[in-house]
Amino acid sequence: MALQASGAISINDLHIEAGGTSGTLCTLNDEDIRGLIDKASGAASSFNQFYGASAVLQLTISSNTQELDLGTYATSQGWNGTSLVELTISSGVYVWSDDIATAALTIPSSMTGFRLYNYGYIIGKGGRGGGQQGAAENGGHAIENNAASILFWNYAGAYIAGGGGGGGAGGSPTAGAGGGAGGGQGGNGYYFGTAFGGAGGGVGQAGSNGTGGKDVSRAAGGGGAGGGGGSATTWFGGGSAGGGGGGRILPGTGGVSGLVSSGGGNQNGGTGGSAGNAGGNGSAGDGGGGWGAAGGGAGGSGGKAINHVGVGSWVAATNDGTIYGTY
């Protein structure tokens, strides 16, 4: 807690605020004490300059923020590189990623003891569904933590969710699979007419349906979690459907499977996974995974809620909210 704003103040008060042990030796020129008011080594200091000083930098994210690098952000807010940092994410606010290779929130190794108070949504990017663009993608992580001894409070109504894995191309490689929860794009299909995968949902939105190729009347449905897989026909002149896009709604239901209404030998897509559940397998494209879960068939893996790197470690002080994916 911060030092008092007025009245008597002692060198011992400064020492304790800086993290020292009461009654042990210290001086105004000690680095940790100087750091309370950002004084250079050897610079003159007076006790009244320390009124209200704190060893803790308190930060609040109150609007939707994409791919938050906490080290960069804290430094821009005056962090001295050593003080304890506390971050609050306000209710209803998304800290989100639109890149499976970059977590929504990245914590550097220099923030040992960092504290997170989450009232909002921290979400990774969903993987693209398999299809004509290539194999299914894995979902991205919600948090990448490089620091030790982290405490987090995940309050009721709050979420930390890895992106869902994209669905596999399934039994018919001409049909697109569903994208994973977290905005994964549905896979494209192709069979006598191009079928485009549905777009992943924007922040707080469901994904869109894929489009059908020739003679396909209904493509796979996008979801608030994993998108549904595309369908296909096997008769000459038939078409295929693109997979549905994954949504960014928490918790979110999975997209419906793709169907076709004309011709014979129809192959259905798999149902998209709801939050925390894997995508379904189809005879054509498979469904994308729900939050933190794998896509159907040969789909990608779900992203982690918290991915620890190096010495990274966490303790949940309070977890009344919901976490999708490993941590």
Side-chain angles (χ1 to χ4, degrees):
M1 55 185 296
L3 291 163
Q4 62 265 42
S6 62
I9 190 170
S10 68
I11 186 67
N12 193 53
D13 294 330
L14 308 186
H15 192 37
I16 293 171
E17 179 63 29
T21 301
S22 179
T24 57
L25 292 175
C26 62
T27 72
L28 284 178
N29 197 47
D30 288 354
E31 182 178 5
D32 56 352
I33 292 177
R34 288 188 288 106
L36 294 174
I37 55 173
D38 294 324
K39 282 282 186 177
S41 178
S45 299
S46 61
F47 283 101
N48 62 5
Q49 291 177 304
F50 288 88
Y51 284 136
S54 175
V56 178
L57 176 64
Q58 297 175 325
L59 305 171
T60 299
I61 303 299
S62 56
S63 60
N64 295 344
T65 301
Q66 182 177 344
E67 292 147 21
L68 176 62
D69 184 309
L70 191 57
T72 300
Y73 177 66
T75 299
S76 74
Q77 301 301 303
W79 184 47
N80 61 12
T82 58
S83 297
L84 180 67
V85 176
E86 296 183 344
L87 177 70
T88 298
I89 299 174
S90 300
S91 178
V93 169
Y94 283 83
V95 175
W96 62 287
S97 174
D98 204 37
D99 183 348
I100 61 172
T102 304
L105 173 64
T106 300
I107 302 163
S109 59
S110 53
M111 284 192 178
T112 297
F114 167 72
R115 297 171 184 172
L116 171 66
Y117 304 95
N118 182 39
Y119 295 88
Y121 313 105
I122 307 173
I123 61 173
K125 172 68 185 296
R128 186 195 65 216
Q132 291 301 302
Q133 305 119 300
E137 293 179 334
N138 298 331
H141 307 313
I143 298 173
E144 181 145 315
N145 173 46
N146 299 268
S149 304
I150 306 303
L151 289 174
F152 73 93
W153 287 256
N154 195 43
Y155 294 102
Y159 292 88
I160 302 174
S172 174
T174 62
Q185 181 182 348
N188 294 346
Y190 183 82
Y191 191 77
F192 293 99
T194 302
F196 295 101
V203 171
Q205 298 178 341
S208 62
N209 292 348
T211 60
K214 183 178 179 181
D215 293 335
V216 176
S217 63
R218 183 161 73 88
S231 58
T233 56
T234 56
W235 58 286
F236 184 82
S240 63
R248 288 192 174 102
I249 298 175
L250 286 151
T253 57
V256 299
S257 86
L259 302 173
V260 292
S261 62
S262 62
N266 297 343
Q267 295 178 316
N268 294 339
T271 302
S274 58
N277 294 304
N281 297 350
S283 53
D286 298 310
W291 293 104
S301 61
K304 295 180 180 180
I306 306 171
N307 182 47
H308 301 294
V309 180
V311 298
S313 60
W314 284 73
V315 175
T318 298
N319 184 24
D320 295 328
T322 306
I323 296 179
Y324 292 115
T326 59
Y327 68 99

